[in-house]
Coordinates of all heavy atoms in Angstrom, one line a residue:
M1 N 0.2 9.8 -9.6 CA 0.4 8.8 -8.5 C 1.6 8.0 -8.9 O 1.8 7.6 -10.1 CB -0.8 8.0 -8.3 CG -0.6 6.9 -7.2 SD -2.1 5.9 -6.9 CE -3.0 6.9 -5.8
T2 N 2.5 7.7 -8.0 CA 3.6 6.8 -8.3 C 3.1 5.4 -8.7 O 2.1 5.0 -8.2 CB 4.5 6.7 -7.0 OG1 4.7 8.0 -6.5 CG2 5.8 6.0 -7.3
V3 N 3.9 4.8 -9.6 CA 3.6 3.5 -10.0 C 4.6 2.5 -9.4 O 5.8 2.7 -9.6 CB 3.5 3.3 -11.5 CG1 3.3 1.9 -11.9 CG2 2.4 4.2 -12.1
L4 N 4.1 1.5 -8.7 CA 5.0 0.5 -8.1 C 5.3 -0.5 -9.2 O 4.6 -0.7 -10.1 CB 4.3 -0.2 -7.0 CG 3.9 0.7 -5.8 CD1 3.2 -0.2 -4.7 CD2 5.1 1.4 -5.2
T5 N 6.5 -1.2 -9.1 CA 6.9 -2.2 -10.0 C 7.0 -3.5 -9.3 O 6.8 -3.6 -8.0 CB 8.3 -1.9 -10.6 OG1 9.3 -2.0 -9.6 CG2 8.3 -0.5 -11.2
A6 N 7.4 -4.6 -10.0 CA 7.5 -5.9 -9.4 C 8.6 -5.9 -8.4 O 8.7 -6.8 -7.5 CB 7.8 -7.0 -10.5
L7 N 9.5 -4.9 -8.4 CA 10.6 -4.9 -7.4 C 10.1 -4.4 -6.1 O 10.8 -4.5 -5.1 CB 11.7 -3.9 -8.0 CG 12.5 -4.4 -9.2 CD1 13.5 -3.4 -9.7 CD2 13.1 -5.8 -8.9
D8 N 9.0 -3.8 -6.1 CA 8.4 -3.3 -4.8 C 7.6 -4.5 -4.2 O 6.6 -4.9 -4.7 CB 7.5 -2.1 -5.0 CG 8.2 -0.9 -5.6 OD1 9.1 -0.4 -4.8 OD2 8.0 -0.5 -6.7
R9 N 8.1 -4.9 -3.0 CA 7.5 -6.1 -2.4 C 6.7 -5.6 -1.2 O 6.9 -4.6 -0.6 CB 8.6 -7.1 -1.9 CG 9.6 -7.4 -3.0 CD 9.1 -7.8 -4.3 NE 8.4 -9.1 -4.3 CZ 8.0 -9.7 -5.4 NH1 8.2 -9.1 -6.6 NH2 7.4 -10.8 -5.3
C10 N 5.7 -6.5 -0.8 CA 4.9 -6.3 0.4 C 5.9 -6.3 1.6 O 6.8 -7.1 1.7 CB 3.9 -7.4 0.5 SG 2.9 -7.4 2.0
D11 N 5.6 -5.4 2.6 CA 6.4 -5.3 3.8 C 6.0 -6.5 4.8 O 6.7 -6.6 5.8 CB 6.2 -4.0 4.5 CG 6.9 -2.9 3.7 OD1 7.9 -3.2 3.0 OD2 6.5 -1.7 3.8
R12 N 5.0 -7.2 4.5 CA 4.6 -8.3 5.4 C 4.7 -9.7 4.9 O 4.6 -10.6 5.6 CB 3.1 -8.0 5.8 CG 2.8 -6.8 6.6 CD 3.3 -6.9 8.0 NE 3.1 -5.8 8.8 CZ 4.0 -4.8 8.9 NH1 5.2 -4.9 8.3 NH2 3.8 -3.7 9.7
C13 N 5.0 -9.8 3.6 CA 5.1 -11.1 3.0 C 5.9 -11.0 1.7 O 6.2 -9.8 1.2 CB 3.8 -11.8 2.7 SG 2.8 -11.1 1.4
P14 N 6.3 -12.1 1.0 CA 7.1 -11.9 -0.2 C 6.4 -11.5 -1.5 O 7.0 -11.4 -2.5 CB 7.7 -13.3 -0.4 CG 7.4 -14.1 0.9 CD 6.2 -13.4 1.4
A15 N 5.1 -11.3 -1.4 CA 4.3 -11.0 -2.6 C 4.7 -9.6 -3.1 O 5.2 -8.8 -2.4 CB 2.8 -11.1 -2.3
A16 N 4.3 -9.4 -4.4 CA 4.6 -8.0 -4.9 C 3.6 -7.1 -4.3 O 2.5 -7.4 -4.0 CB 4.3 -8.1 -6.5
A17 N 4.1 -5.9 -4.0 CA 3.2 -4.8 -3.4 C 2.2 -4.3 -4.4 O 2.5 -4.1 -5.6 CB 4.1 -3.7 -2.9
A18 N 1.0 -4.2 -4.0 CA -0.1 -3.7 -4.8 C -0.3 -2.2 -4.4 O -0.7 -1.4 -5.3 CB -1.4 -4.5 -4.6
Y19 N -0.1 -1.9 -3.2 CA -0.4 -0.5 -2.7 C 0.8 0.0 -1.8 O 1.4 -0.8 -1.1 CB -1.6 -0.5 -1.8 CG -2.9 -1.0 -2.5 CD1 -3.3 -2.3 -2.4 CD2 -3.7 -0.1 -3.2 CE1 -4.4 -2.8 -3.1 CE2 -4.8 -0.5 -3.8 CZ -5.2 -1.9 -3.8 OH -6.3 -2.3 -4.4
R20 N 1.0 1.3 -2.0 CA 1.9 1.9 -1.0 C 1.1 3.0 -0.2 O 0.4 3.8 -0.8 CB 3.1 2.7 -1.7 CG 3.9 3.5 -0.8 CD 5.2 3.9 -1.4 NE 6.0 2.8 -1.7 CZ 7.0 2.8 -2.7 NH1 7.2 3.8 -3.4 NH2 7.7 1.7 -2.9
A21 N 1.1 2.8 1.1 CA 0.2 3.7 1.9 C 1.2 4.5 2.7 O 2.3 4.1 3.1 CB -0.7 2.9 2.8
S22 N 0.7 5.8 3.0 CA 1.5 6.7 3.8 C 0.6 7.3 4.9 O -0.6 7.5 4.7 CB 2.0 7.8 2.9 OG 2.8 8.7 3.6
L23 N 1.2 7.5 6.0 CA 0.4 8.0 7.2 C 0.5 9.5 7.1 O 1.6 10.1 7.2 CB 1.0 7.5 8.5 CG 0.3 8.0 9.7 CD1 -1.2 7.6 9.7 CD2 1.0 7.4 11.0
L24 N -0.7 10.1 6.9 CA -0.7 11.6 6.9 C -1.0 12.1 8.3 O -1.9 11.7 9.0 CB -1.9 12.1 6.0 CG -1.7 11.8 4.5 CD1 -2.7 12.5 3.7 CD2 -0.3 12.2 4.0
V25 N -0.2 13.0 8.7 CA -0.3 13.6 10.1 C -0.6 15.1 9.9 O 0.0 15.7 9.1 CB 1.0 13.4 10.9 CG1 0.8 13.7 12.4 CG2 1.5 11.9 10.8
D26 N -1.5 15.6 10.8 CA -1.9 17.0 10.7 C -0.7 17.9 11.0 O -0.5 18.9 10.3 CB -3.0 17.3 11.6 CG -4.4 16.7 11.1 OD1 -4.4 16.5 9.9 OD2 -5.3 16.5 11.9
S27 N 0.0 17.6 12.0 CA 1.2 18.4 12.4 C 2.4 17.5 12.5 O 2.8 17.1 13.6 CB 0.9 19.1 13.7 OG -0.3 19.8 13.7
P28 N 2.9 17.2 11.3 CA 4.1 16.2 11.3 C 5.3 16.8 12.0 O 5.5 18.0 11.9 CB 4.3 16.0 9.9 CG 3.8 17.2 9.2 CD 2.6 17.7 10.0
P29 N 6.0 16.0 12.7 CA 7.4 16.4 13.2 C 8.2 16.4 11.9 O 8.5 15.3 11.4 CB 7.8 15.3 14.2 CG 6.9 14.2 13.9 CD 5.7 14.6 13.1
Y30 N 8.6 17.5 11.4 CA 9.2 17.6 10.1 C 10.6 17.0 10.0 O 11.0 16.8 8.9 CB 9.3 19.1 9.6 CG 7.9 19.7 9.4 CD1 7.3 20.5 10.3 CD2 7.2 19.3 8.3 CE1 6.0 21.0 10.2 CE2 5.9 19.8 8.1 CZ 5.3 20.6 9.0 OH 4.1 21.1 8.9
D31 N 11.2 16.6 11.1 CA 12.5 16.0 11.0 C 12.3 14.5 11.0 O 13.3 13.8 10.9 CB 13.4 16.4 12.2 CG 12.7 16.2 13.5 OD1 11.5 16.1 13.5 OD2 13.4 16.1 14.5
V32 N 11.1 14.0 11.0 CA 10.9 12.5 11.0 C 10.2 12.2 9.7 O 9.2 12.8 9.3 CB 9.9 12.1 12.2 CG1 9.6 10.6 12.1 CG2 10.6 12.4 13.5
P33 N 10.8 11.2 8.9 CA 10.2 10.8 7.7 C 8.8 10.3 7.9 O 8.5 9.6 8.8 CB 11.1 9.7 7.1 CG 12.3 9.6 8.1 CD 11.9 10.4 9.3
T34 N 7.9 10.6 6.9 CA 6.5 10.1 7.0 C 6.6 8.6 6.8 O 7.2 8.1 5.9 CB 5.7 10.7 5.8 OG1 5.9 12.1 5.8 CG2 4.3 10.3 5.9
P35 N 6.0 7.8 7.7 CA 6.0 6.4 7.5 C 5.2 5.9 6.3 O 4.2 6.5 6.0 CB 5.3 5.9 8.8 CG 4.5 7.0 9.3 CD 5.2 8.3 8.8
T36 N 5.8 5.0 5.6 CA 5.1 4.4 4.4 C 5.2 2.9 4.6 O 6.1 2.3 5.2 CB 5.7 4.8 3.1 OG1 7.1 4.4 3.0 CG2 5.7 6.3 2.9
L37 N 4.2 2.2 4.0 CA 4.1 0.8 4.0 C 3.7 0.3 2.6 O 2.8 0.9 2.0 CB 3.0 0.3 5.0 CG 3.4 0.0 6.4 CD1 2.1 -0.5 7.2 CD2 4.4 -1.1 6.5
D38 N 4.4 -0.7 2.1 CA 4.0 -1.4 0.9 C 3.3 -2.7 1.2 O 3.8 -3.5 2.0 CB 5.3 -1.7 0.1 CG 6.0 -0.5 -0.5 OD1 5.4 0.6 -0.4 OD2 7.1 -0.6 -1.0
L39 N 2.1 -2.8 0.7 CA 1.3 -4.0 1.0 C 0.8 -4.7 -0.3 O 0.4 -4.0 -1.2 CB 0.1 -3.6 1.9 CG 0.5 -3.1 3.3 CD1 -0.8 -2.6 4.0 CD2 1.1 -4.2 4.1
C40 N 0.8 -6.0 -0.3 CA 0.2 -6.7 -1.4 C -1.4 -6.6 -1.2 O -1.9 -6.1 -0.2 CB 0.6 -8.2 -1.3 SG -0.1 -9.1 0.1
G41 N -2.1 -7.1 -2.2 CA -3.5 -7.0 -2.2 C -4.1 -7.7 -1.0 O -5.0 -7.1 -0.3
H42 N -3.6 -8.8 -0.7 CA -4.1 -9.6 0.5 C -3.9 -8.8 1.8 O -4.9 -8.7 2.5 CB -3.3 -10.9 0.6 CG -3.5 -11.6 1.9 ND1 -4.6 -12.3 2.2 CD2 -2.7 -11.7 3.0 CE1 -4.5 -12.8 3.4 NE2 -3.3 -12.5 3.9
H43 N -2.7 -8.3 2.0 CA -2.5 -7.6 3.2 C -3.2 -6.2 3.3 O -3.5 -5.7 4.3 CB -1.0 -7.4 3.5 CG -0.4 -8.7 4.1 ND1 0.4 -9.5 3.5 CD2 -0.6 -9.2 5.4 CE1 0.7 -10.6 4.3 NE2 0.1 -10.4 5.4
W44 N -3.4 -5.6 2.1 CA -4.1 -4.4 2.1 C -5.6 -4.6 2.4 O -6.2 -3.9 3.2 CB -4.0 -3.7 0.7 CG -4.9 -2.4 0.7 CD1 -6.1 -2.3 0.0 CD2 -4.7 -1.2 1.4 NE1 -6.6 -1.0 0.3 CE2 -5.8 -0.4 1.1 CE3 -3.6 -0.8 2.2 CZ2 -5.9 0.9 1.7 CZ3 -3.8 0.5 2.8 CH2 -4.8 1.3 2.5
R45 N -6.2 -5.7 1.9 CA -7.6 -6.0 2.2 C -7.7 -6.3 3.7 O -8.7 -6.0 4.3 CB -8.1 -7.2 1.3 CG -8.5 -6.7 -0.1 CD -9.2 -7.8 -0.8 NE -8.4 -9.0 -1.0 CZ -7.6 -9.2 -2.0 NH1 -7.5 -8.2 -2.9 NH2 -6.8 -10.3 -2.1
K46 N -6.7 -6.9 4.2 CA -6.7 -7.3 5.6 C -6.6 -6.1 6.6 O -7.3 -6.0 7.6 CB -5.6 -8.3 5.9 CG -5.7 -9.0 7.3 CD -4.6 -10.1 7.3 CE -4.5 -10.7 8.7 NZ -3.3 -11.6 8.8
N47 N -5.6 -5.2 6.2 CA -5.3 -4.1 7.1 C -5.8 -2.7 6.6 O -5.8 -1.8 7.4 CB -3.8 -4.1 7.3 CG -3.2 -5.4 7.8 OD1 -3.6 -5.8 8.8 ND2 -2.2 -5.9 7.1
G48 N -6.1 -2.6 5.4 CA -6.5 -1.3 4.8 C -7.5 -0.6 5.5 O -7.4 0.6 5.8
P49 N -8.7 -1.2 5.8 CA -9.8 -0.5 6.5 C -9.3 0.1 7.8 O -9.6 1.3 8.1 CB -10.8 -1.6 6.7 CG -10.6 -2.6 5.6 CD -9.1 -2.6 5.4
A50 N -8.6 -0.7 8.6 CA -8.1 -0.1 9.9 C -7.1 1.0 9.7 O -7.1 2.0 10.4 CB -7.5 -1.2 10.8
M51 N -6.2 0.8 8.7 CA -5.2 1.8 8.4 C -5.8 3.1 8.0 O -5.4 4.2 8.4 CB -4.2 1.3 7.4 CG -3.3 0.2 8.0 SD -2.3 -0.6 6.7 CE -1.3 0.7 6.1
T52 N -6.9 3.0 7.1 CA -7.5 4.2 6.6 C -8.1 5.0 7.7 O -8.1 6.2 7.8 CB -8.6 3.8 5.6 OG1 -8.0 3.0 4.5 CG2 -9.3 5.0 5.0
E53 N -8.7 4.2 8.7 CA -9.3 4.9 9.9 C -8.2 5.7 10.7 O -8.5 6.7 11.3 CB -9.9 3.9 10.8 CG -11.3 3.5 10.4 CD -12.0 2.6 11.4 OE1 -11.5 2.6 12.5 OE2 -13.0 2.0 11.0
Q54 N -7.0 5.2 10.6 CA -5.9 5.8 11.4 C -5.3 6.9 10.6 O -4.3 7.6 11.1 CB -4.8 4.8 11.8 CG -5.4 3.7 12.8 CD -4.4 2.5 12.9 OE1 -3.3 2.6 12.5 NE2 -4.9 1.4 13.4
G55 N -5.7 7.2 9.4 CA -5.2 8.3 8.6 C -4.2 7.9 7.5 O -3.6 8.8 6.8
W56 N -4.1 6.6 7.2 CA -3.2 6.2 6.1 C -3.9 6.4 4.8 O -5.2 6.2 4.7 CB -2.9 4.7 6.3 CG -2.0 4.3 7.4 CD1 -2.3 4.2 8.7 CD2 -0.5 4.1 7.4 NE1 -1.2 3.9 9.5 CE2 -0.1 3.8 8.7 CE3 0.4 4.1 6.3 CZ2 1.2 3.6 9.0 CZ3 1.7 3.8 6.6 CH2 2.1 3.6 8.0
V57 N -3.2 6.8 3.8 CA -3.8 7.0 2.5 C -2.9 6.3 1.5 O -1.7 6.2 1.6 CB -3.9 8.5 2.1 CG1 -4.9 9.2 3.0 CG2 -2.6 9.2 2.1
V58 N -3.5 5.8 0.4 CA -2.8 5.1 -0.7 C -2.1 6.2 -1.5 O -2.8 7.1 -2.0 CB -3.7 4.2 -1.5 CG1 -3.0 3.7 -2.7 CG2 -4.2 3.1 -0.7
I59 N -0.8 6.1 -1.7 CA -0.1 7.1 -2.5 C 0.5 6.5 -3.7 O 1.0 7.2 -4.6 CB 1.0 7.8 -1.7 CG1 2.1 6.7 -1.2 CG2 0.5 8.6 -0.5 CD1 3.3 7.4 -0.6
A60 N 0.5 5.2 -3.9 CA 1.0 4.5 -5.1 C 0.4 3.2 -5.2 O -0.1 2.6 -4.3 CB 2.5 4.4 -5.0
G61 N 0.4 2.7 -6.5 CA -0.2 1.4 -6.7 C 0.5 0.7 -7.9 O 1.3 1.3 -8.6
N62 N 0.3 -0.6 -8.0 CA 1.0 -1.4 -9.1 C -0.1 -1.9 -10.0 O -0.8 -2.9 -9.6 CB 1.8 -2.5 -8.5 CG 2.5 -3.3 -9.6 OD1 2.2 -3.3 -10.7 ND2 3.6 -3.9 -9.2
P63 N -0.3 -1.3 -11.2 CA -1.4 -1.7 -12.1 C -1.3 -3.2 -12.5 O -2.3 -3.8 -12.7 CB -1.2 -0.8 -13.3 CG -0.4 0.3 -12.8 CD 0.5 -0.2 -11.7
E64 N 0.0 -3.7 -12.6 CA 0.1 -5.1 -13.0 C -0.4 -6.0 -11.9 O -1.0 -7.1 -12.2 CB 1.6 -5.4 -13.2 CG 2.2 -4.7 -14.4 CD 3.6 -5.1 -14.7 OE1 4.0 -6.2 -14.2 OE2 4.3 -4.3 -15.3
V65 N -0.3 -5.7 -10.7 CA -0.8 -6.5 -9.6 C -2.4 -6.4 -9.6 O -3.1 -7.4 -9.5 CB -0.3 -6.1 -8.2 CG1 -1.0 -6.9 -7.1 CG2 1.2 -6.3 -8.2
F66 N -2.9 -5.2 -9.9 CA -4.3 -5.1 -10.0 C -4.9 -6.0 -11.1 O -5.9 -6.7 -10.9 CB -4.7 -3.6 -10.3 CG -4.3 -2.6 -9.3 CD1 -4.1 -1.3 -9.6 CD2 -4.1 -3.0 -8.0 CE1 -3.7 -0.3 -8.7 CE2 -3.7 -2.1 -7.0 CZ -3.5 -0.7 -7.4
A67 N -4.2 -6.1 -12.2 CA -4.6 -6.9 -13.3 C -4.6 -8.4 -12.9 O -5.5 -9.1 -13.2 CB -3.7 -6.7 -14.5
T68 N -3.5 -8.8 -12.2 CA -3.4 -10.2 -11.7 C -4.6 -10.5 -10.7 O -5.2 -11.5 -10.8 CB -2.1 -10.4 -11.0 OG1 -1.1 -10.0 -11.9 CG2 -1.9 -11.8 -10.6
E69 N -4.9 -9.5 -9.9 CA -5.9 -9.7 -8.8 C -7.3 -9.9 -9.5 O -8.2 -10.5 -8.9 CB -5.9 -8.5 -7.9 CG -4.6 -8.4 -7.1 CD -4.8 -8.6 -5.6 OE1 -5.8 -8.1 -5.1 OE2 -4.0 -9.2 -5.0
L70 N -7.4 -9.4 -10.7 CA -8.7 -9.5 -11.4 C -8.8 -10.8 -12.1 O -9.8 -11.0 -12.9 CB -8.9 -8.3 -12.3 CG -9.1 -6.9 -11.6 CD1 -9.2 -5.8 -12.6 CD2 -10.3 -6.9 -10.7
E71 N -7.8 -11.6 -12.0 CA -7.8 -12.9 -12.7 C -9.1 -13.7 -12.4 O -9.5 -13.7 -11.2 CB -6.5 -13.7 -12.4 CG -6.8 -15.0 -11.6 CD -5.4 -15.6 -11.2 OE1 -4.6 -14.9 -10.6 OE2 -5.2 -16.7 -11.5
G72 N -9.7 -14.3 -13.4 CA -10.9 -14.9 -13.2 C -12.1 -14.1 -13.8 O -13.1 -14.6 -14.1
T73 N -11.8 -12.8 -13.9 CA -12.8 -12.0 -14.6 C -12.5 -12.0 -16.1 O -11.4 -12.0 -16.5 CB -12.6 -10.5 -14.1 OG1 -11.9 -10.5 -12.9 CG2 -13.9 -9.8 -13.9
P74 N -13.5 -12.2 -16.9 CA -13.4 -12.2 -18.3 C -12.7 -10.9 -18.8 O -13.1 -9.8 -18.3 CB -14.8 -12.3 -18.9 CG -15.7 -12.5 -17.7 CD -14.9 -12.3 -16.5
S75 N -11.7 -11.0 -19.7 CA -11.0 -9.8 -20.1 C -11.4 -9.5 -21.6 O -11.8 -10.3 -22.3 CB -9.5 -10.0 -20.1 OG -9.1 -11.2 -20.7
Ligands
ZN1 ZN1 1.5 -9.3 1.8

């Protein structure tokens, strides 16, 4: 899986992207690029369930953001 870095930002806010999601289509129009969205943890939690239902899948993530999101958990 691709690893996102701090340079990858959320497409909806200035936060670092935690997830990159791509829309999988059964019969893609091959001349059209597959849509992808980079989302921070907040926006993924907000939109992820609906997006998953529409066929979006997570194709990349940022382990550093995951670590930050777990802040408050004893390490
Ligand atoms: Zn965001």
Side-chain angles (χ1 to χ4, degrees):
M1 182 180 274
T2 310
V3 174
L4 301 178
T5 71
L7 294 177
D8 295 296
R9 314 309 291 188
C10 176
D11 286 335
R12 292 289 180 267
C13 74
Y19 300 92
R20 173 167 295 159
S22 182
L23 181 58
L24 292 190
V25 191
D26 283 340
S27 307
Y30 292 104
D31 53 341
V32 176
T34 310
T36 61
L37 267 180
D38 290 350
L39 294 175
C40 66
H42 164 78
H43 279 110
W44 175 254
R45 278 191 298 276
K46 190 174 169 188
N47 301 307
M51 289 171 64
T52 303
E53 278 185 18
Q54 292 166 17
W56 291 80
V57 294
V58 173
I59 59 169
N62 185 336
E64 290 181 27
V65 176
F66 298 156
T68 306
E69 296 242 321
L70 293 177
E71 111 187 54
T73 341
S75 52

